[in-house]
Structure formats: C-alpha cells, structure tokens
Amino acid sequence: MNNFFKEDTIVALATPNGTGAISVIRLSGTDSFSAIDKIFSGKKKIIDSDSHTIHYGKIIDNEKNIIDDVLVSVFRSPNSYTGEDVIEISTHGNPFIAQKIIELLINENIRLAEPGEFTKRAFLNNKLDLAQAEAVIDVINARTETSLKGSRNQLDGILSKKIHGLREMLVNTSSFIELELDFAEEKIEFINTNELQKRIENIIEELNSLISTYSFGKVIKDGINVAIVGKPNVGKSSLLNYLTKESRAIVSSLPGTTRDVIREEISVNGILLKIHDTAGIRLSSNEIENEGIKRSRNTIKESDIIILLGDVDNGIPIDLFNEITTLSPGAKIIKTINKIDLTDKVFENCDICISALTGFNIDILLKKLVDVSLNTPVYSEKSAIVSNIRHLQCLKEAKKSLDAAILSIKDGLTGEFIAVDLRNSENLLGEIIGEVTSDDILNNIFAKFCIGK
Ligand code: GDP
C-alpha cells in the first residue's frame, strides 16, 4: 500500500453545494476517526466502531452548540473508496450546516481536499488503476444511457484488462530478445526472426483495432456536434424546434453563448446529439467581420455532422456547400431539402427530403445522424472501447514504436534496437493504466475532477 499521503487527512463536501434532503461530507486519512470524535457526540466513539457501520449522533461545536444531528458512516482502511480510513457524515441538506462542519474539521487540522484527491488516493492506493480513475469522471458526467454504459465499462476495468493483456504479450516477446542478449556470446537463438516479427505484428494489429474504436468511443462519451446550416427562412429554427419537441429525451436546452447560435441537446438511441442552429446567419465573405458569422463558422468547424438545409424553392445552396467543405473538410454533410409538404417535386441531388412543419421523414433524418456518426455498427458491452484522447495518444505512440521495431527487424538490426522499441511501447501502454506515470500526468487528470470526488 502506498503511503504517499499518510500525513494528510482531507475533507470535502461530496454532494452538490445546495439545499437538498441530505448533504454528505467525506473525510479520508489516518486522522479521520480521531477528528470526527472531537466534534461528534453519539452512543459510541467512532474510533472504537467497526468498519461499515453507521452511527447516529450530534455534531457539536466548541461552545457546545448543536450544529446538526447526523449519521456517520465508518470505513476502515483498506476497505474504503480511497483505501484509507474514511468517514462520511450525512447531514441535513443545508450548505451552511455542511460548511460549518467542514470548518470545525479544518480546526482539527484536517485539510480541504484538492479536486479529485479522493480518487487520486484511491489510485495511489491501488484501489483503481488510472484508466479506471479517469472513468469515474466520465460516469459522473455521462448524460445518456449509452455514455453511462461506456464509462461503466471502463470503470469495470475492461479497457485496463485489454491493456494488461497487450503489455503481457510485449513482455513475453521482449523476454526472448533479452535472453538472446544475455547469451549473446553463445549465439543461442531463442526466437527466430520470422516468429518475432509475427508476434509484433500481432500486437500492432490489436493496437490498431483498439485505436479504431476511438471515434465510436468518443461519440458514446461526448455525443456528436450537429450544425444546421442554411439560408434564412429555409426552416432551420423550425427543424430544431421539431427535433427537440419530438425527442422525449431532451437533455438540456442551452441559450447559446451568442444569440446567433442556439444549442439544444437531445438523446437519440442513447447517443447525445448536440444540435446547433446557426440561425439567421448568411455566410458571405463581405460580412466576414461580423461576430455572428465568426461564431457560425466556428460552430461549423467544430461540427461532426452538418445538416445543410435548403428548401423546395431554392434547393441545396451550393455556395454554402462549398464554404462548409472548405471550413470543415472532414465534416459529414447531410444535404436536406425542407418544406417537402409544399410540393410533389422529386429532388435528386439531396440525401433526404423532410418537412419541419409536418415532421415528414424527421425520424429518418435522426436515424441518419446516428448512423453517420457511429462507424462501428456493433457495440458489445464487453469489448474494450477507447474514448479518452490521452489513451488514444498512448496507443498511437505505442504502435509507432512497434512499427519502428518491425523496421529494425527488416533492416537486420541487432536485438538491442528491437528491445528498446518494445520496452518503449510497453511503457506507453503502462501510462494508460498508470503503471508508468509522472506527477504531471496525474495532476492533469485529477485537476479535471470536482472537489469531493
Ligand atoms: P430559418 O430562418 O431558417 O430559421 O427558418 P424558420 O424556421 O424561421 O422558418 C421560416 C418559415 O418557414 C416559417 O414561416 C416556418 O413556419 C416555415 N417553415 C419551416 N419549415 C417548414 C416546412 O417544413 N413546411 C412549410 N410549409 N413551412 C415551413
């Protein structure tokens, strides 16, 4: 067990800061029990209580004022979230009460926790590996059932298990080379070059298939940005309204950062669609200075999918199409003709005809949005999915290292060169699960957490 933080006991509010049925304050560290006993009055001292027991009593300040009646839950090391002695105090859900209790504890030499410090300790005490710790924040932030499943999958260690497996394959392969290096003088061959190359190529293939899950994993975790772009009056706002009205699962309705871009979030088949209406903006180069146009352009640049909306009178606006492909070469464009209820005309140079007024074909449009964004058609809850950019980068670098090893083999270089590349690749995979890590990486990761997690 890692005792890195042994000196400090930390405290933080674990529930949102506001009124509610209850608030929970969490304490972790060696002084948790002695500190709570200084301010808690119950039937029994907490320090004498068993792990996983709950105690009713009162929190009392130095002037013997009763602050609140509370429930104190006891978790003894190592059987706690952090692996340390942990106390959770459930109070009435009033922020003043929680604040007062935290102040009392700070007076007992307990320190306020840094963001993510509880989870960081859980990682340092080997309760979770790094990929699992990162999944904690994803579980908290998940806004659709699918994103929750995806982050649960990572928290349950499915990705970590895969990474462990790949590292093991690398270690086994390197061990042959290292043995050969040890017995260099005897010139014993423990693995022939073909076999070595085959093994490394095998691992590269596994890495590639893991890397290829990223776009899917990212969609599951973060959803997709969709922009509705078109000339004025083609029905952009009507489409956005229809989509949000129809969707039984409106996730949120945000008044955009500008009055020109309105964003709604809806969930379709468990996928979060963040739909931006670039309302009322004409993309014309002579108005390039206009703030609205700038924002609209930014929205287009950041979009994964663009619904390019035209109407039955004017068809698909080719000028906007060209502009979009310049601004966002990778974006998928769905050429959509609106107001099809007004005509029997058949449109050929578009992907879909809809009516934002009657709702005609809107279900198909939604299906298209989801299909276009999910490159991987099958999602198995048991398969390892990469959804974190840090993991993706490590995987890509690890693969690069193995590509270099293959080149070394082909160039007939000696074992030392190949061994270095394999070790490098192994370390990069180790970074994903935190077996190889630096303070910088850790600080970066845990700074994204909230205080109390
Ligand atoms: P925007 O400027 O692109 O946001 O367009 P609006 O959503 O404000 O719509 C412009 C006008 O077209 C409004 O009068 C809408 O009622 C009308 N409209 C929008 N969609 C349809 C449609 O599918 N069919 C018909 N007939 N009218 C529509």
Side-chain angles (χ1 to χ4, degrees), residues 116-132:
E117 197 170 355
F118 292 92
T119 309
K120 188 178 185 180
R121 289 181 179 204
F123 163 67
L124 291 171
N125 289 327
N126 300 321
K127 286 279 173 181
L128 298 166
D129 69 32
L130 199 53
Q132 288 175 305

Side-chain angles (χ1 to χ4, degrees), residues 231-238 338-339 341-342 355-357:
K231 300 264 163 86
N233 275 323
V234 293
K236 296 184 296 298
S237 314
S238 306
N338 188 31
K339 308 192 188 182
D341 56 294
L342 295 178
S355 168
L357 192 71

Side-chain angles (χ1 to χ4, degrees), residues 99-142:
Q99 189 52 40
K100 183 76 198 162
I101 296 175
I102 289 172
E103 277 167 20
L104 291 176
L105 288 165
I106 288 174
N107 286 341
E108 300 301 330
N109 279 329
I110 306 295
R111 165 169 77 70
L112 204 57
E114 312 259 335
E117 197 170 355
F118 292 92
T119 309
K120 188 178 185 180
R121 289 181 179 204
F123 163 67
L124 291 171
N125 289 327
N126 300 321
K127 286 279 173 181
L128 298 166
D129 69 32
L130 199 53
Q132 288 175 305
E134 286 171 298
V136 169
I137 197 166
D138 297 337
V139 166
I140 294 171
N141 290 335

Side-chain angles (χ1 to χ4, degrees), residues 5-57:
F5 281 105
K6 199 174 168 208
E7 304 309 322
D8 273 358
T9 298
I10 51 171
V11 63
L13 182 65
T15 42
N17 192 7
T19 43
I22 54 169
S23 292
V24 176
I25 297 159
R26 181 144 67 173
L27 271 158
S28 180
T30 36
D31 296 333
S32 296
F33 299 161
S34 55
I36 184 76
D37 274 333
K38 296 239 175 68
I39 65 166
F40 174 77
S41 164
K43 274 194 182 156
K44 180 176 181 181
K45 281 207 161 300
I46 296 298
I47 207 149
D48 301 325
S49 305
D50 291 336
S51 187
H52 294 75
T53 54
I54 300 178
H55 306 265
Y56 172 77

